[in-house]
Every structure is written in structure tokens, then in C-alpha cells.
């Protein structure tokens, strides 16, 4: 089986980080530019797909961060099979990034300490309204009365047990630029059997 | 194995059609409101995810229409396993629809005639620039010189062999409305073992 957490090694910047940073910057006026769609596998083997909010990169790495509630269905899906592809479409610049890789679940009992401290820092940095959702009643259960969603005081220092950090380690990226005539498409492929600290990428320019 | 094409039966309007129509209408000023993300399974069993353009419903049914190039990777994925979930996020009204179901490939040699005529009509109704892409060189092959993408005259009456219609038959819908305080979430589940002409749906109001 696979290990419980990714290596904490510092990685060199992957070549797709620069075009992705440019797209994030150029689309920054739209709050929805930080939403992307994350495909996973249900336990029955069919695809699942939902929007998640990009929470930045884990410091010193090419790993994207998301947050999730331990009670949401995607957590069991990821434990069962961590394969994923994220699709990130930027409406203003008409660019699509497809990021294929694997997800890592960082929960209250995950070592090492660097990942745990990333989880706690993220908890402290999200908005009050994002934090409050982790005190809401069981997701997807029959609707609770409105007062079950009343504001709770949540400890800023200690995230609740159900607050999880998800890390996406990327092994290939498909960047499609729809504005160009004809469109431009770049593929980035991580070369296998490379240690993370000197991981290498192959970049190919292909037909759209 | 599964059949080659869905039943051409007329279906009653599913209960999720009305909230979806409202979202499409309220977000109509944004061209990107017709983009959704379609998750499928690669032949190796990992998830794939990309943006597609919604091309309306097949007349008289609840089946969503998309177009695709026979040469694109998703076609072989669908032939291998037609399970899908589409994620459709509407930025203006902050609503998400997750549509799980199966995809049907309608290509040049698909019967019955009603599905073939839907394919031809769609070919005639898409834009010139959308049509021209079907004459472009092999997708994802090493980049061809720019003149290989030069304008071709395409027959309006007869779509090229690589022009495919994709139909999505939906078996469950998860509608999340992020604007409400607390958020609203409705699940729509198609009841099994019902013929399409009197298919029934169960609607449940659940916690977000």
C-alpha cells in the first residue's frame, strides 16, 4: 500500500507553476477564479466531481492545498483510491489547466509536524464563515432545523477533528489556451523514478 | 454489455430541470455559464476531468448534449466505461449542480435515425469556429505548423466522421445553493426499474 503522507522534501518549482501563476494573477478580480473541479473515484468505481477552493501551495513545494470536512464523501473516496484530476478553467483569460495526480489526506493525527502545522495555519487563515461550516450538522443527512446551523465559537488555535487539509501532488499538467488562433496546448509530464528534491519535468507543445 | 444507444422515448421533465433552467437563465450574461466539467475514467481506472460546452437538451428528454471529436481521449474512455459525473458551477448565482449518470456516444454510424438527425442538426447549429476544429490535425500529437490549421470549407449538410454527439443520461443530481444562510442542498435520485416514459424521481432536502 501507499504511505500515509507525502515526503516533506522541498521541491524545485515545476515548469507549469509559472503559466498557472500568471493565470491566477490575471483572473484575480473574479473570486470564482480560485474554484476548480476535483474528480475522484467513488468506492463503486464511478467518477465523482465537485468544486473546491484553491488554498495556495504548500510552502516550498508544488503541492496544491484544499480543505475538506472529514465527514464529506470525498474523504472515504480518497482513502480508497487517491487518484485525481483537477480541472481549473479561467474564464477571463480562457485557459484550462488539467492537473492529474494523487491526493493526500492530512487530518488531526497525521505526522510529520510540518504537515500538521500547515493544517493548523490554514485553519487560522480561512474566513470565519468557512470555519463555521465545520460545526454544522452531518453533511447530506436529512435537513436539520436552522438553529442547528447557529454560530459557534470555534477555537482558532486548535482545528476541530473533522477539519482536514488535502494535498494534491501533480504528475501531469495539460494547459490549453483557447484565446490563441489556433489554440495553444502544452503538456507537462513528471519524469518517473526521480526523488522529489530533484524531480524533472518534460514539456511538450502539442496540437489543441 | 450495455446497448449502443439510449432509448429514444420521450421523457417527462425531471424535477431538477426547473432549478437548472433557472440557473442557466440567471447566469446567461456569462458565456462561461455554459461550460461544465465532465469527469470520466481513463482506461487505467484513474479519473479524467475537462471542460465541455453544454449544447442543450435532446428534444423531449432530460439528456444533456455535448459535442466531441472522435480522436479525443474521452471517446475511448467512454467506450470503455460510460460512467460520468458533470460538475456545473454558476458563478453569478453561486450554485453547483452535480449530475451523475452515463454517457452515450452518437457517431456517424449510430442508429436510430432520431439520434443521427440530432447529431446532424447540432453540426449545423454550432459556430464556424467550432466546426473548423474538426478539420484540425490530430489532437495531442506534436504541434503541427500553423498552416495545418488553415480554414477548411466544411460541408454543412454532412458532419465529418470525427464529429460526435455525446448524450448524458442523468441518474442523480446534487444541487447546492451557496448564497442561502445556511446553504441549501437538494438531492434528486432517479428511482430504479422505471421505464423512461414514466421515470420517477425522489427529491430530498439535506444538510449542505
Amino acid at each position: 500500500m501507499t504511505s500515509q503522507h507525502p515526503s516533506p522534501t522541498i521541491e524545485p518549482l515545476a515548469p507549469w507553476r509559472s503559466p498557472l501563476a500568471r493565470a491566477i494573477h490575471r483572473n484575480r478580480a473574479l473570486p470564482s477564479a480560485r474554484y476548480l473541479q476535483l474528480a475522484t473515484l467513488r468506492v463503486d468505481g464511478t467518477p465523482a466531481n465537485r468544486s473546491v477552493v484553491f488554498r495556495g501551495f504548500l510552502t516550498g513545494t508544488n503541492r496544491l492545498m484544499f480543505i475538506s470536512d472529514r465527514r464529506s464523501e470525498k474523504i472515504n473516496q480518497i482513502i480508497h483510491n487517491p487518484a485525481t484530476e483537477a480541472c481549473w478553467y479561467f474564464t477571463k483569460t480562457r485557459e484550462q489547466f488539467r492537473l492529474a495526480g494523487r491526493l493526500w489526506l492530512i487530518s488531526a493525527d497525521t505526522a510529520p509536524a510540518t504537515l500538521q502545522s500547515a493544517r493548523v495555519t490554514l485553519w487560522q487563515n480561512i474566513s470565519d464563515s468557512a470555519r463555521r461550516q465545520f460545526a454544522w450538522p452531518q453533511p447530506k443527512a436529512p435537513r436539520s432545523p436552522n438553529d442547528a446551523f447557529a454560530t459557534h465559537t470555534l477555537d482558532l488555535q486548535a482545528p476541530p477533528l473533522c477539519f482536514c487539509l488535502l494535498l494534491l501532488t501533480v504528475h501531469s499538467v495539460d494547459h490549453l489556451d483557447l484565446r490563441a488562433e489556433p489554440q495553444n496546448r502544452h503538456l507537462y509530464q513528471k519524469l518517473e523514478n526521480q526523488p522529489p528534491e530533484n524531480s524533472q519535468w518534460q514539456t511538450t507543445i502539442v496540437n489543441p
Side-chain angles (χ1 to χ4, degrees), chain A residues 156-168:
Chain A
L156 254 182
Q157 300 313 312
L161 290 178
C162 65
F163 178 78
C164 297
L165 162 62
L166 296 180
L167 292 179
L168 166 55

Side-chain angles (χ1 to χ4, degrees), chain A residues 34 53-59 63-68 104 106 114-128 130-132 134 155-160 163-168:
Chain A
R34 297 185 80 82
V53 179
F54 171 62
R55 303 286 181 178
F57 286 93
L58 181 69
T59 307
R63 296 165 194 155
L64 289 81
M65 297 194 292
F66 313 109
I67 62 176
S68 181
W104 305 84
I106 314 299
T114 48
L115 296 177
Q116 201 47 240
S117 98
R119 171 176 168 268
V120 174
T121 303
L122 208 46
W123 171 255
Q124 292 164 347
N125 288 343
I126 61 176
S127 68
D128 267 343
R131 270 193 295 264
R132 274 199 297 272
F134 290 86
D155 187 343
L156 254 182
Q157 300 313 312
F163 178 78
C164 297
L165 162 62
L166 296 180
L167 292 179
L168 166 55

